[in-house]
């Protein structure tokens, strides 16, 4: 009987343990169910607050615009303005309109405003320009008198002529009042947004990033009311309660099981139980060797950092720091970059992601001969750090960026040598939406050099995904050109050839492909559209087939070059003028960023179209960082990178830029050449390059900044040195991708251009007489 008691006790104790765990699970699922119920209730309260306050804001702003619309069309107002009786005109606008703080009158030419748009106020200028363009009352939140206000503007007409533009200022509380009084729990979030800016917000601002879903738009403005509630666990309330009930049933079954067995024994199964009573105990079986003791527990891996594999250790020992550049990683395959180095870089990127609790990352690669090997090694390193890798295979860099958004990964790496020679390769890196540049790239080197690399318990998962069709449909679903244009597309044997022609055909263009077969040897010409020599084949084909336009892409598809039927190369800074005017039609007052190599005409063109121009450093990652900081809607570089945040994602994409260009050109009655001819233009050089020893480009710029003197010029040193005179400018800066000095000159006429080039020639040779100047 003692033995039977032992066996019964050994059966019952584990049963109690299992039952206890089941009860705990039941309590957990029940608690989750209550949590989901509370989350659902909070979401309902927030949704109701957004709907009610949004409806009231829409009503208030539409009432204000309707009020201004009714007053600006009164015959008495036009009469008062024609008599220059501003007191009577102001009374017609302001009389009986509660809350009006100020009424202003502006000449429709806006010359005074454009003399100093910053002092006048970009926001106020933007809403006035919009009202003139639409010939209607328009409203926006503007910075006026040092504080945000509701600004309204409308043109006043007589006999079809604009006499003046009236601007009315109302307190911001006129809009934010409904949000302030809305019934919102403390754990919710409610905001009024205009563009990317939160004009007013209340509640838990940590929820701001997820507030756009279900936004209430305010017609006739860029404003909307948004909200968010704390997220639940992601499960169903009903599911949680059912699981709780199931767990309790499991607990009951486990506890009753030994008692049921004991009852069966008492009912007549003693004969079968007798051998058990007289048999050996569990300890006796183990002692006799008939039952093996369980093996000792294996220590969970990961508590100690395993030693680095010998190949990786060797790679780390010879790691070349020069490949870690200002805004990407790039080197010569077989010399400064190999598979072991790529594997270490992947593990370093994965370690940064681990620190940020980021799991998934997209990897794409260009068509270079070394890219499959580099990508495979990079993926190995990422998986070693525990990251989940989505491999999209061969894809242009902008398609890799797109995949990070489309697949909700947030991080990506494009394996590409960009426009460099065939023996180059490298990595463009985005982690949690941030493009790595500067110190962030140097820290990757430091992680590898110091072996500060995360090793996961298990390698991360890897999967394959093709997003090409998704990318094509995303663009074609937004852009369809109004009239068919015939274009020649030169991809220079780069990876853009695999998708760019299909994108442009999908939006309605007639495409003549040129060098669109992907070949990592680049047998026809170098895939760099910033060099006019690389565009000669394109010009010849455009003229031979009578195309409207020629489009060229660089090796990984993130840069665009354009030529006309006459053979003219349209420099990217002039393309940016066209893009800026288009974007500012819908986003008055928006910030437009351009790099230091762009023409001096560009800033004035942006201002004339109601935008806020900002010159910044060259470099795709540096530009993207500045865009996030300033909430710019558009940016561009002289090299052909264009960054659209309006209607797109804010990354540089030569293929998407080409689609936007064709959209603009097809909407106009003139030919593309006539449209380009109407843009401001002086005389200028393309990018000029002086080849130097690796690293010398940086030390030369240091010496040049210390020694160079330019009389009568305004100097800008944010990226190299740019000297601006009233009739033109010159620039010298260090390339961050190849060992060259980059120069460009721009002036109003040939005489001024020659004088500026001579001034730079003198100063350059004074610093280093051995330079071989290309001008």
């Amino acid at each position: 009987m003692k033995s039977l008691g032992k066996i019964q006790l050994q059966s019952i104790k584990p049963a109690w343990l299992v039952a206890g765990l089941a009860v705990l699970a039941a309590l957990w699922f029940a608690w989750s169910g209550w949590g989901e119920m509370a989350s659902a209730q909070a979401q309902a309260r927030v949704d109701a607050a957004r709907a009610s306050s949004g409806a009231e804001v829409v009503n208030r702003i539409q009432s204000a615009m309707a009020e201004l619309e009714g007053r600006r069309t009164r015959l008495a107002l036009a009469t008062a303005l024609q008599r220059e009786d501003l007191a009577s005109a102001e009374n017609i606008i302001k009389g009986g309109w509660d809350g009006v703080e100020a009424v202003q009158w502006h000449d429709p030419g806006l010359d005074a405003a454009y003399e100093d748009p910053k002092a006048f106020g970009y926001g106020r200028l933007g809403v006035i320009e919009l009202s003139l363009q639409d010939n209607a009352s328009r409203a926006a939140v503007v910075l006026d008198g040092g504080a945000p206000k509701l600004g309204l503007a409308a043109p006043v007409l007589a006999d079809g002529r604009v006499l003046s533009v009236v601007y009315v200022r109302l307190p911001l509380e006129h809009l934010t009042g409904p949000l302030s009084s809305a019934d919102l729990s403390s754990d919710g979030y409610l905001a009024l947004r205009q563009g990317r800016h939160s004009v007013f917000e209340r509640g838990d601002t940590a929820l701001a990033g997820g507030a756009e879903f279900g936004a209430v738009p305010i017609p006739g403005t860029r404003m909307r009311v948004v909200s968010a509630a704390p997220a639940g666990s992601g499960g169903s309330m009903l599911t949680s309660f059912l699981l709780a009930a199931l767990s309790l049933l499991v607990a009951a079954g486990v506890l009753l099981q030994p008692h049921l067995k004991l009852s069966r024994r008492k009912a007549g199964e003693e004969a079968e139980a007798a051998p058990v009573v007289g048999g050996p105990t569990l300890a006796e079986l183990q002692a006799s060797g008939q039952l093996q003791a369980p093996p000792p527990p294996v220590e969970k891996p990961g508590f100690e950092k395993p030693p680095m594999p010998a190949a990786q250790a060797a790679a780390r020992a010879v790691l070349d720091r020069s490949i870690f550049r200002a805004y990407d990683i790039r080197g010569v395959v077989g010399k400064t970059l190999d598979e072991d180095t790529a594997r270490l870089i992947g593990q370093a990127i994965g370690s940064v992601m681990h620190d940020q609790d980021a799991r998934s990352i997209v990897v794409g690669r260009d068509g270079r001969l070394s890219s499959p090997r580099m990508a495979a090694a990079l993926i190995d390193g990422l998986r070693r750090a525990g990251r989940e890798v989505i491999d999209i295979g061969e894809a242009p860099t902008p398609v890799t960026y797109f995949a990070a958004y489309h697949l909700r990964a947030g991080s990506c790496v494009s394996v590409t040598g960009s426009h460099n020679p065939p023996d180059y390769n490298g990595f463009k890196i985005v982690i949690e939406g941030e493009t790595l540049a500067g110190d962030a790239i140097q820290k990757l080197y430091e992680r590898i050099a110091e072996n500060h690399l995360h090793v996961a318990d298990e390698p991360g998962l890897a999967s394959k995904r093709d997003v090409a069709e998704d990318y094509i449909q995303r663009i074609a679903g937004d852009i369809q050109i109004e009239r068919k244009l015939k274009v020649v597309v030169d991809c220079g044997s780069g990876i853009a050839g695999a998708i760019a022609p299909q994108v442009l055909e999908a939006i309605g263009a007639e495409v003549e492909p040129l060098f669109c077969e992907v070949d990592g040897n680049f047998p026809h010409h170098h895939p760099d559209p910033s060099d006019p020599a690389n565009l000669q084949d394109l010009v010849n084909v455009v003229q031979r087939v009578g195309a409207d336009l020629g489009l060229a892409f660089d090796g990984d598809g993130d840069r665009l070059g354009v030529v006309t039927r006459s053979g003219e190369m349209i420099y990217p800074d002039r393309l940016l003028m066209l893009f800026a005017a288009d974007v500012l039609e819908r986003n008055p007052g928006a910030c437009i960023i351009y790099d230091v190599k762009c023409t001096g005409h560009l800033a004035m063109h942006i201002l004339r179209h109601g935008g806020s121009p900002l010159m910044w450093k060259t470099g795709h990652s540096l530009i993207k960082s500045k865009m996030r900081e300033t909430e710019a809607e558009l940016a561009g570089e002289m090299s052909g990178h264009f960054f659209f945040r309006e209607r797109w994602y804010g990354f540089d994409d030569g293929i998407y830029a080409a689609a936007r260009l064709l959209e603009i050109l097809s909407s106009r009655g003139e030919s593309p050449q006539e449209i380009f001819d109407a843009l401001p233009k002086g005389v200028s050089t393309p990018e000029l390059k002086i080849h130097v020893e690796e690293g010398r480009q940086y030390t030369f710029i240091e010496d040049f900044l210390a020694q160079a003197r330019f009389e009568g010029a305004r100097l800008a040193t944010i990226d190299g040195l740019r000297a601006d005179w009233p009739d033109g400018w010159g620039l010298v800066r260090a390339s961050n991708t190849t060992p060259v000095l980059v120069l460009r000159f721009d002036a109003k006429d040939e005489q001024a251009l020659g004088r500026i080039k001579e001034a730079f020639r003198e100063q350059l040779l004074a610093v280093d007489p051995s330079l071989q100047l290309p001008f």
Side-chain angles (χ1 to χ4, degrees):
M1 293 300 295
K2 289 182 180 179
S3 297
L4 178 60
K6 283 183 181 181
I7 292 175
Q8 290 174 355
L9 196 58
Q10 288 170 355
S11 298
I12 292 172
K13 283 182 178 178
W16 276 104
L17 177 61
V18 173
L21 291 173
V23 170
L24 288 174
L27 292 173
W28 168 254
F29 287 126
W31 175 258
S32 297
W34 283 112
E36 292 297 335
M37 182 183 294
S39 177
Q41 291 172 345
Q43 185 68 61
R45 287 196 302 272
V46 168
D47 288 346
R50 180 189 65 218
S52 60
S53 61
E56 180 59 24
V57 171
V58 169
N59 179 60
R60 289 190 179 193
I61 203 162
Q62 288 186 335
S63 296
M65 287 195 292
E67 186 73 39
L68 180 58
E69 191 68 17
R71 292 170 184 252
R72 69 123 177 176
T73 55
R74 292 181 186 176
L75 181 60
L77 180 61
T79 302
L81 289 175
Q82 286 171 327
R83 294 175 177 174
E84 298 185 355
D85 184 359
L86 296 185
S88 296
E90 180 172 339
N91 187 57
I92 293 170
I93 294 294
K94 193 174 182 180
W97 189 352
D98 292 338
V100 174
E101 294 181 343
V103 175
Q104 300 171 2
W105 306 95
H106 297 284
D107 183 88
L110 297 174
D111 293 332
Y114 279 110
E115 284 182 4
D116 191 351
K118 183 176 181 181
F120 184 85
Y122 291 118
R124 182 157 50 128
L125 183 54
V127 73
I128 291 172
E129 284 277 18
L130 187 60
S131 72
L132 284 167
Q133 292 170 13
D134 296 347
N135 188 25
S137 299
R138 288 293 176 256
V141 174
V142 302
L143 193 64
D144 192 347
K149 301 287 184 179
L150 174 60
L152 297 100
V156 181
L157 288 77
D159 300 324
R161 180 174 64 90
V162 180
L163 299 175
S164 183
V165 183
V166 59
Y167 170 81
V168 178
R169 188 178 75 210
L170 294 172
L172 185 64
E173 290 73 18
H174 184 75
L175 287 185
T176 60
L179 282 78
S180 299
S181 60
D183 182 15
L184 181 72
S185 58
S186 60
D187 57 350
Y189 173 78
L190 188 65
L192 173 66
R193 289 182 178 169
Q194 178 173 266
R196 303 277 179 165
H197 175 62
S198 291
V199 175
F200 171 88
E201 55 186 353
R202 57 178 287 221
D204 186 359
T205 55
L207 302 173
E212 288 292 339
F213 182 77
V216 178
I218 302 172
T221 75
R222 297 176 61 223
M223 291 181 277
R224 61 208 179 278
V225 176
V226 301
S227 67
S233 64
S236 159
M237 180 171 56
L238 177 60
T239 301
S240 296
F241 285 132
L242 288 175
L243 288 171
L246 180 61
S247 298
L248 288 175
L249 289 174
V250 170
V254 170
L255 288 175
L256 287 173
Q257 187 179 17
H259 295 289
L260 292 173
K261 287 182 178 178
L262 185 59
S263 297
R264 286 197 298 271
R265 288 193 183 97
K266 289 183 177 179
E269 297 179 6
E270 291 87 349
E272 296 180 20
V276 178
V277 174
T281 65
L282 182 63
E284 290 168 342
L285 285 171
Q286 290 177 346
S288 69
Q290 299 177 48
L291 182 66
Q292 296 296 322
V298 177
E299 184 178 357
K300 184 178 179 181
F303 290 108
E304 289 186 11
K305 182 178 290 188
M308 179 178 287
Q312 284 192 314
R316 182 167 65 92
V318 296
L319 189 64
D320 191 328
R321 186 162 196 163
S322 68
I323 69 175
F324 294 81
R325 299 173 182 258
Y327 37 84
D328 56 21
I329 298 173
R330 200 172 302 176
V332 179
V333 176
K335 293 182 179 179
T336 58
L337 180 63
D338 58 20
E339 291 169 72
D340 290 326
T341 301
R343 190 171 290 107
L344 286 170
I345 290 169
Q347 191 174 353
I349 294 168
S351 300
V352 176
M353 293 177 64
H354 171 74
D355 291 347
Q356 298 183 17
D357 198 26
R359 294 291 304 171
S360 299
I361 183 167
V362 171
V363 174
R365 65 179 189 272
D366 68 12
R368 291 168 184 265
L369 303 182
S370 62
S371 288
R373 292 182 288 114
M374 292 297 110
L378 178 88
I379 290 171
D380 280 348
L382 289 165
R383 295 185 63 203
R384 181 175 172 81
R387 301 311 95 189
E388 297 175 358
V389 180
I390 305 170
D391 181 5
I392 64 170
E394 283 196 351
T397 292
V399 176
T400 303
Y401 294 153
F402 166 80
Y405 285 92
H406 184 66
L407 303 178
R408 303 181 187 278
S411 302
C412 64
V413 179
S414 180
V415 179
T416 177
S418 189
H419 61 280
N420 290 88
D423 55 344
Y424 274 77
N425 218 321
F427 311 94
K428 295 179 178 179
I429 307 161
V430 177
I431 297 180
E432 289 295 273
E434 180 183 354
T435 303
L436 266 57
D439 290 343
I441 288 182
Q442 295 305 315
K443 286 178 181 177
L444 289 179
Y445 170 83
E446 292 166 7
R447 273 185 180 272
I448 298 170
E450 297 168 7
N451 195 23
H452 184 49
L453 301 172
H454 175 67
V455 180
D457 298 344
E458 298 289 341
L461 299 175
S463 60
K464 293 184 180 294
R465 183 73 179 267
D466 185 352
V467 298
E469 189 60 30
D470 298 316
Y471 177 80
I472 294 170
Q473 292 305 318
R474 170 65 178 83
I475 296 176
D478 179 53
I479 299 173
Q480 286 294 311
I481 62 177
E482 295 184 16
R483 60 185 174 93
K484 189 175 287 292
L485 294 172
K486 185 174 184 179
V487 296
V488 179
V489 175
D490 180 358
C491 295
S493 306
I495 192 60
I499 196 170
Q502 295 93 309
V503 169
L504 300 180
E505 287 174 347
I507 69 169
E510 180 183 348
V511 176
E512 180 76 27
L514 176 66
F515 309 142
C516 288
E517 301 81 11
V518 179
D519 185 340
N521 291 307
F522 309 127
H524 303 289
H525 63 73
H526 195 55
D528 181 359
S530 66
D531 185 345
N534 297 325
L535 301 177
Q536 192 54 55
D537 290 327
L538 178 61
V539 170
N540 294 339
V541 175
V542 167
Q543 294 173 341
R544 186 169 69 247
V545 302
D548 296 290
L549 205 65
L551 305 173
F553 301 99
D554 73 330
D556 65 333
D558 59 7
R559 293 165 54 204
L560 171 67
V562 175
V563 298
T564 66
R565 189 184 298 180
S566 69
E568 180 185 6
M569 176 183 178
I570 306 300
Y571 290 127
D573 49 3
R574 298 184 69 217
L575 292 176
L576 189 56
M577 293 180 190
L578 208 58
F579 291 142
D582 177 63
V583 168
L584 289 168
E585 284 183 7
R586 296 176 294 276
N587 301 272
C591 179
I592 311 293
I593 298 175
Y594 58 96
D595 78 328
V596 295
K597 295 183 289 185
C598 290
T599 176
H601 296 290
L602 178 57
M604 287 307 301
H605 190 77
I606 293 169
L607 286 170
R608 290 297 303 175
H609 285 82
S612 173
L614 175 64
M615 184 168 69
W616 194 239
K617 302 175 184 178
T618 295
H620 67 94
S621 55
L622 306 179
I623 293 285
K624 279 179 276 193
S625 176
K626 198 65 175 177
M627 286 186 75
R628 286 195 304 274
E629 177 188 332
T630 60
E631 297 187 341
E633 294 291 347
L634 172 70
E637 295 183 278
M638 186 59 193
S639 59
H641 288 273
F642 297 101
F643 312 74
F644 288 87
R645 195 171 72 166
E646 193 237 20
R647 296 165 54 192
W648 198 235
Y649 301 96
F651 54 74
D652 42 333
D653 187 339
I655 301 169
Y656 179 76
R660 288 287 288 260
L661 176 63
L662 296 187
E663 179 186 46
I664 294 168
L665 297 177
S666 71
S667 68
R668 308 268 289 270
E670 311 99 298
S671 70
Q673 184 71 62
E674 291 171 334
I675 293 172
F676 293 131
D677 287 344
L679 296 173
K681 183 182 180 182
V683 291
S684 61
T685 67
E687 289 187 21
L688 305 173
K689 299 177 181 179
I690 303 174
H691 292 271
V692 296
E693 294 179 1
E694 183 71 57
R696 173 56 178 154
Q697 68 267 36
Y698 303 114
T699 58
F700 177 88
I701 291 298
E702 291 177 2
D703 296 340
F704 192 75
L705 289 173
Q707 299 179 35
R709 297 292 181 269
F710 293 99
E711 294 296 329
R714 184 178 69 255
L715 303 183
T717 58
I718 57 174
D719 186 4
L721 187 146
R722 172 167 166 157
D724 278 79
W725 288 270
D727 56 355
W729 56 272
L731 166 77
V732 59
R733 59 176 293 274
S735 169
N736 286 307
T737 58
T738 52
V740 301
L741 296 170
V742 179
L743 301 96
R744 192 177 185 230
F745 305 102
D746 181 277
K748 71 175 185 178
D749 54 39
E750 290 289 350
Q751 182 178 356
L753 186 69
R755 189 193 77 249
I756 293 169
K757 288 164 69 173
E758 184 58 37
F760 267 81
R761 180 183 291 109
E762 180 181 335
Q763 297 295 326
L764 289 166
L765 294 176
V767 174
D768 186 349
S770 67
L771 290 179
Q772 299 297 311
L773 302 183
F775 62 95

